[in-house]
């Protein structure tokens, strides 16, 4: 009986134990590898969203003189706002067009605006060289080439099941000059939700050791940084 039991242990049980141990070792080794790979994939999505927030914030500041304190303000600006753009018509290297434009201005005694030149251009005079400032719809200008762009999605941290992007905006006096500043944050606890929590805690600890924010951060309300992201 002992011989039979020994054979069972040798030929059946021990191989299963070895396979189980090998699987456990491989799983243990691969867990941080998979965590890192998924983290990078999620960060890539989040970084694009942060860049879109930056684009809207810069346009918003150009229009208002300050940054938006909430994503809702940016969404409203995108849907209903106007932005000023400078249109360049013709080329300053085209000497004939430049001469023609000067002749048109001379005929009006120099009292002709860019808007009036643009009206002449629309009526058919294509030999004009000038620039004109136009107010255009933000929605028809920013991200117009991206058919899948959804401005409402900017409010939410990807993969977080509804957590919102943390946004702050202030006017800070720097060297006696008022400077508009903003920052947007996506903490890893939200961005990496559903992933291995202990590995996420370890990642946060590593970031703190390096005096870095535990997640993605765009801009800073502490000091001007040209709206840089901490991934750049």
């Amino acid at each position: 009986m002992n011989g039979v039991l020994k054979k069972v242990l040798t030929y059946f049980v021990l191989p299963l134990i070895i396979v189980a141990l090998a699987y456990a070792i491989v799983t243990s080794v691969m867990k941080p590898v998979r965590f890192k790979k998924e983290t990078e994939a999620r960060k890539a999505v989040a970084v694009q969203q942060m860049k879109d927030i930056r684009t809207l914030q810069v346009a918003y500041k150009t229009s208002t003189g300050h940054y938006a304190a909430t994503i809702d303000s940016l969404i409203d600006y995108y849907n209903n706002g106007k932005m000023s753009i400078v249109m360049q018509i013709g080329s300053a290297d085209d000497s004939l067009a430049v001469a023609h434009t000067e002749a048109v201005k001379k005929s009006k005694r120099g009292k002709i605006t860019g808007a009036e030149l643009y009206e002449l251009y629309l009526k058919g005079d294509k030999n004009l060289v000038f620039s004109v400032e136009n107010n255009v719809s933000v929605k028809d200008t920013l991200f117009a080439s991206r058919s899948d762009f959804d401005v409402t999605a900017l409010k939410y941290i990807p993969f977080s099941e509804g957590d919102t992007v943390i946004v702050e905006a202030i006017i800070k006096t720097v060297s006696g000059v008022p400077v508009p500043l903003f920052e947007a944050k996506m903490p890893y606890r939200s961005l990496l939700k559903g992933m291995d929590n202990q590995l996420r805690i370890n990642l946060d600890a590593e970031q703190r050791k390096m005096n870095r924010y535990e997640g993605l951060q765009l801009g800073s309300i502490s000091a001007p940084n040209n709206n840089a992201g901490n991934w750049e």
Side-chain angles (χ1 to χ4, degrees), residues 74-215:
L74 288 180
I75 293 172
D76 180 70
Y77 173 69
Y78 175 80
N79 286 325
N80 305 303
K82 298 281 188 181
M83 60 186 296
S84 179
I85 63 169
V86 176
M87 296 175 58
Q88 176 61 44
I89 305 297
S91 171
D93 295 329
D94 187 338
S95 58
L96 291 178
V98 170
H100 172 68
T101 303
E102 291 303 317
V104 170
K105 290 180 179 179
K106 188 175 181 180
S107 69
K108 301 291 184 179
R109 297 183 180 179
K111 296 180 180 180
I112 186 168
T113 64
E116 290 171 329
L117 286 171
Y118 186 55
E119 186 176 347
L120 291 175
Y121 176 82
L122 292 177
K123 287 180 178 178
D125 190 344
K126 304 302 181 183
N127 293 318
L128 294 170
V129 179
F130 63 95
S131 60
V132 61
E133 190 172 295
N134 274 350
N135 286 323
V136 296
S137 168
V138 175
K139 191 172 186 178
D140 293 337
T141 307
L142 296 183
F143 317 114
S145 63
R146 287 165 53 185
S147 59
D148 61 342
F149 179 75
D150 178 11
V151 70
T152 59
L154 295 184
K155 185 174 182 177
Y156 302 101
I157 299 173
F159 313 103
S160 71
E161 301 176 0
D163 294 352
T164 55
V165 179
I166 303 167
V167 176
E168 292 185 75
I170 64 170
I171 304 292
K172 186 181 182 71
T173 300
V174 180
S175 301
V177 179
V179 179
L181 300 172
F182 89 94
E183 67 182 26
K185 293 180 176 180
M186 294 185 185
Y188 285 141
R189 67 175 179 272
S190 295
L191 182 60
L192 306 183
K193 186 175 289 187
M195 295 172 59
D196 189 290
N197 195 50
Q198 186 57 55
L199 290 177
R200 193 273 304 167
I201 291 173
N202 295 345
L203 177 60
D204 283 352
E206 290 173 9
Q207 296 297 103
R208 286 193 295 271
K209 282 182 180 179
M210 296 185 290
N211 293 319
R212 300 181 66 182
Y213 176 66
E214 304 97 321

